[in-house]
Amino acid sequence: LALEDFFIWYEQLYKLKHKEEFRRPNYQITYAYSIEDYNTSSNVVNIDFSLFQRWTDENTLHPDLIIVRTDYFGAEKNYFKVSCTTPIKYKITADDKPILEFFLKNIYEKPSFREGQFPIISNVLNREDTIGLLPTGGGKSMCYQLPCLLQPSVSFVVCPIKSLMYDQQLNMKTSYVTNTNSITSDLSAQERAKIQNEFAQGKYLFIWISPERFQIKRFRDYIANIYSNLSISYAVIDEVHCMSEWGHDFRTSYLNLTRTIQRYCPSSKFIGLTATASVNVLKDIKIEFS
């Protein structure tokens, strides 16, 4: 069942990236019921499933085994880490829409894209700087969340309102995507430092942060350090109309934000999202995005 489930997901990823069907390898499963029964030949993978036993240091005695055990419930240690490499330029076309809807259904339990979502997500996955303009309730957060999940890298979301951060994080948890976090003024300095350190270790797929943090030199240096050790795929700017002096909610903390991000994360791509932008506001944002 585990192999079948793996192939179902991998086939979709392979088709999305390579535009061709994935040919499954031939394999055979042989059951062994003791250490003595394991096959030690070079073309065999030995996996010890003993889900009713707790984890010990037995892996040091059997280095050729992949050992699977039940985790200790209640333990706070998080073993998750994003496997980072160069972000993928998917070259999405209209033919790929059913594949992306597979992920939409299986991660978010949504049957299809809302109007406007697919072209935005396509542009983002094609590694183009993107401005997404959708009405309130049109599913703007999906336009960055799904692409972030489909990239082998970390990302960050600049958001000016704490309640929006909490709401979007809760929505991700509802979809069982728990390896995200936010840094807000509600946290103590020690809590903020802990989350920043964990993000630098690849513990989170993405974090939500306020634009004001980029005005702090120590934080800019911290982002530069992450960029040098992990790949940062997307710099998401939510409520991007705040960037424009023509906008109804202009925030001075958005001034020079894109130039700062470009300086410290030069290969990351921008995703700007808003529900309200006049012609003048869009013109301003395009200039800021170069």
Side-chain angles (χ1 to χ4, degrees):
L1 284 173
L3 279 171
E4 178 64 25
D5 189 60
F6 170 80
F7 283 132
I8 287 172
W9 285 80
Y10 189 79
E11 282 168 349
Q12 301 297 324
L13 281 170
Y14 188 89
K15 196 186 303 182
L16 194 67
K17 172 68 171 65
H18 298 286
K19 312 305 178 188
E20 62 183 27
E21 297 292 334
F22 172 70
R23 292 190 298 175
R24 294 191 183 191
N26 295 321
Y27 63 90
Q28 179 181 349
I29 299 175
T30 302
Y31 293 91
Y33 295 96
S34 68
I35 293 291
E36 292 74 23
D37 294 334
Y38 285 125
N39 189 328
T40 57
S41 63
S42 60
N43 63 340
V44 170
V45 177
N46 287 303
I47 305 177
D48 183 346
F49 285 98
S50 296
L51 296 178
F52 293 106
Q53 295 182 30
R54 291 295 180 92
W55 177 262
T56 68
D57 59 354
E58 61 193 302
N59 62 303
T60 59
L61 302 175
H62 307 289
D64 297 329
L65 283 179
I66 296 174
I67 297 178
V68 181
R69 295 288 184 269
T70 300
D71 194 8
Y72 291 95
F73 292 105
E76 294 182 358
K77 189 169 178 61
N78 180 9
Y79 293 94
F80 175 84
K81 183 177 181 180
V82 180
S83 296
C84 287
T85 186
T86 304
I88 298 169
K89 188 173 184 177
Y90 277 100
K91 299 180 181 178
I92 302 297
T93 68
D95 294 336
D96 297 315
K97 190 173 184 179
I99 302 174
L100 289 175
E101 286 182 336
F102 166 87
F103 295 110
L104 189 70
K105 292 172 185 174
N106 284 278
I107 299 173
Y108 295 95
E109 297 184 340
K110 296 184 183 297
S112 59
F113 289 111
R114 296 181 184 178
E115 185 177 356
Q117 284 181 327
F118 177 70
I120 295 173
I121 291 171
S122 299
N123 211 54
V124 170
L125 287 174
N126 291 341
R127 302 285 294 148
E128 300 287 348
D129 291 328
T130 304
I131 300 169
L133 179 58
L134 286 175
T136 301
K140 292 189 298 297
S141 60
M142 179 69 68
C143 295
Y144 75 80
Q145 290 175 6
L146 185 57
C148 286
L149 293 178
L150 291 173
Q151 290 289 1
S153 51
V154 298
S155 300
F156 58 84
V157 184
V158 180
C159 185
I161 306 170
K162 287 186 293 186
S163 60
L164 286 178
M165 297 187 194
Y166 298 147
D167 183 57
Q168 292 179 27
Q169 188 176 355
L170 178 61
N171 289 340
M172 292 300 288
K173 286 183 178 179
T174 303
S175 299
Y176 302 100
V177 179
T178 57
N179 293 294
T180 66
N181 216 325
S182 57
I183 300 174
T184 72
S185 58
D186 291 341
L187 302 174
S188 66
Q190 292 81 2
E191 289 171 325
R192 290 196 296 269
K194 179 176 182 290
I195 294 172
Q196 287 186 187
N197 183 52
E198 289 173 340
F199 184 55
Q201 296 172 19
K203 296 292 185 183
Y204 304 119
L205 291 157
F206 49 85
I207 60 170
W208 289 268
I209 50 182
S210 68
E212 285 79 11
R213 297 205 66 77
F214 283 92
Q215 297 175 328
I216 304 170
K217 184 181 184 303
R218 184 180 297 178
F219 184 79
R220 295 197 298 267
D221 293 338
Y222 158 77
I223 287 292
N225 180 60
I226 293 177
Y227 180 81
S228 65
N229 293 294
L230 304 172
S231 63
I232 299 179
S233 185
Y234 299 115
V236 183
I237 303 179
D238 202 6
E239 307 298 323
V240 73
H241 62 272
C242 297
M243 186 177 292
S244 172
E245 292 185 59
W246 294 91
H248 65 84
D249 194 23
F250 173 62
R251 290 275 287 265
T252 54
S253 56
Y254 272 72
L255 288 172
N256 297 318
L257 180 61
T258 55
R259 283 188 286 277
T260 300
I261 293 171
Q262 285 171 333
R263 178 181 176 184
Y264 291 93
C265 312
S267 67
S268 62
K269 295 298 181 180
F270 284 110
I271 308 173
L273 299 168
T274 181
T276 170
S278 66
V279 173
N280 285 332
V281 170
L282 280 173
K283 186 177 179 180
D284 264 4
I285 295 169
K286 288 180 181 179
I287 292 171
E288 286 292 319
F289 280 11
S290 302

